[in-house]
Amino acid sequence: MLREFKEFIARGNVIDLAVAVIIGAAFGRIVTSLVNDILMPPIGLLMGGIDFAGLFVALRGNPATLAEAKAASLPTINYGQFIQAAIEFLIIAFVIFLIIKAINRMKRRPEDLPPTVKACEYCFSSIPVQARRCPQCTSALEVV
């Protein structure tokens, strides 16, 4: 069982996945900082000095700030933090889209590959490009 586990871990896909998870977590922290520390303050300033992280609706009581509501253990709907999380998601989704688009562009398309089969000029059956004689009609073919 230990040997099977070592073989499973040694597969390239598992190691690639582990690296992707670690890089994804680090990228997520960078995007969180980008949204919270760089994007949202100017947007809040343009909207009249709003602090998105502090936007909430108290479900009970009447606290002045989110910190007061949390200190009093009051239930709140923190829609400002949800807006920030939605912006983080959109940024990450857009970056993943760009990465996948770049990867797809780098892959060779089937139409870019040289053909491996051709049609026999006598019986029109599919034969390998290197064939000198058609296996179906036994006609001699020109080698290109």
Side-chain angles (χ1 to χ4, degrees):
M1 186 148 158
L2 184 60
R3 182 177 54 90
E4 289 178 83
F5 181 70
K6 284 181 183 178
E7 289 174 7
F8 172 75
I9 294 297
R11 285 186 190 158
N13 294 345
V14 175
I15 294 171
D16 292 345
L17 180 63
V19 169
V21 167
I22 292 167
I23 290 174
F27 181 70
R29 282 189 239 122
I30 290 171
V31 171
T32 299
S33 177
L34 172 73
V35 170
N36 294 342
D37 303 329
I38 296 180
L39 293 180
M40 296 313 282
I43 293 172
L45 183 65
L46 290 173
M47 296 182 75
I50 297 173
D51 177 20
F52 280 90
L55 295 177
F56 72 101
V57 173
L59 299 177
R60 193 171 31 145
N62 195 15
T65 65
L66 182 58
E68 287 178 15
K70 287 187 178 186
S73 298
L74 296 175
T76 59
I77 297 175
N78 305 325
Y79 66 92
Q81 292 176 357
F82 175 77
I83 291 170
Q84 288 183 325
I87 292 171
E88 288 175 32
F89 170 77
L90 290 174
I91 290 172
I92 290 173
F94 183 69
V95 169
I96 290 173
F97 167 75
L98 292 177
I99 290 170
I100 297 298
K101 189 174 178 179
I103 289 171
N104 287 340
R105 197 177 300 136
M106 284 189 283
K107 288 183 181 177
R108 267 187 121 176
R109 295 184 184 101
E111 60 267 10
D112 295 341
L113 298 174
T116 58
V117 293
K118 64 180 178 180
C120 172
E121 54 195 57
Y122 299 104
C123 70
F124 300 106
S125 61
S126 293
I127 56 173
V129 174
Q130 300 88 0
R132 295 175 186 240
R133 186 171 294 273
C134 177
Q136 307 299 322
C137 69
T138 66
S139 298
L141 304 171
E142 292 182 28
V143 179
V144 180

